[in-house]
Amino acid sequence: QERLVESGGGLVQPGGSLRLSCAASGFTFDHYAMGWFRQAPGKEREFVTAITWSDGVTYYADSVKGRFIISKDNAKNTVYLQMNTLKPEDTAVYYCASKAFPGSILVQYNYWGQGTQVTVSS
């Protein structure tokens, strides 16, 4: 069964950095893209960033552009999210997701991880 497991979340001070990892297993096909979404308390889940698997094209929400960097290791079937200059408003549960088919990079992800908590607070 396809599985995505996030790790690396935690508590960090404003201005600090964290690196999240998402390890994929049980996939018998290549992802079209993998992405990160987040959900803050009382808010809907929102797109953060994504990367296409074959060619490494990246996409970022305006709110994180210039601060977050998505990367991948195809051999390890792992995607990373380097989060820099973190702000309190970045506090959320961060979810890794896999998109199987071409289409809008913002929607229609087919597999989801359980999420990892990121808390930005002094």
Side-chain angles (χ1 to χ4, degrees), residues 62-112:
D62 288 343
S63 59
V64 306
K65 191 175 297 182
R67 299 188 299 122
F68 290 11
I69 302 170
I70 189 171
S71 61
K72 62 183 176 68
D73 186 330
N74 294 51
K76 295 181 178 179
N77 213 359
T78 299
V79 65
Y80 306 95
L81 180 61
Q82 178 67 46
M83 304 185 294
N84 300 315
T85 319
L86 282 160
K87 305 174 180 179
E89 50 263 47
D90 295 317
T91 296
V93 177
Y94 283 71
Y95 297 90
C96 174
S98 172
K99 183 177 176 67
F101 305 108
S104 172
I105 203 69
L106 303 176
V107 298
Q108 294 190 339
Y109 285 74
N110 307 95
Y111 303 95
W112 295 82

Side-chain angles (χ1 to χ4, degrees), residues 11-90:
L11 175 65
V12 64
Q13 294 183 351
S17 298
L18 282 175
R19 191 182 76 150
L20 307 183
S21 298
C22 173
S25 61
F27 286 81
T28 59
F29 56 89
D30 287 339
H31 318 279
Y32 172 72
M34 292 187 68
W36 291 93
F37 294 73
R38 67 187 183 187
Q39 187 167 24
K43 294 192 174 184
E44 295 184 357
R45 186 173 297 183
E46 66 175 350
F47 173 84
V48 177
T49 181
I51 186 167
T52 59
W53 207 247
S54 62
D55 55 11
V57 177
T58 58
Y59 304 82
Y60 296 93
D62 288 343
S63 59
V64 306
K65 191 175 297 182
R67 299 188 299 122
F68 290 11
I69 302 170
I70 189 171
S71 61
K72 62 183 176 68
D73 186 330
N74 294 51
K76 295 181 178 179
N77 213 359
T78 299
V79 65
Y80 306 95
L81 180 61
Q82 178 67 46
M83 304 185 294
N84 300 315
T85 319
L86 282 160
K87 305 174 180 179
E89 50 263 47
D90 295 317

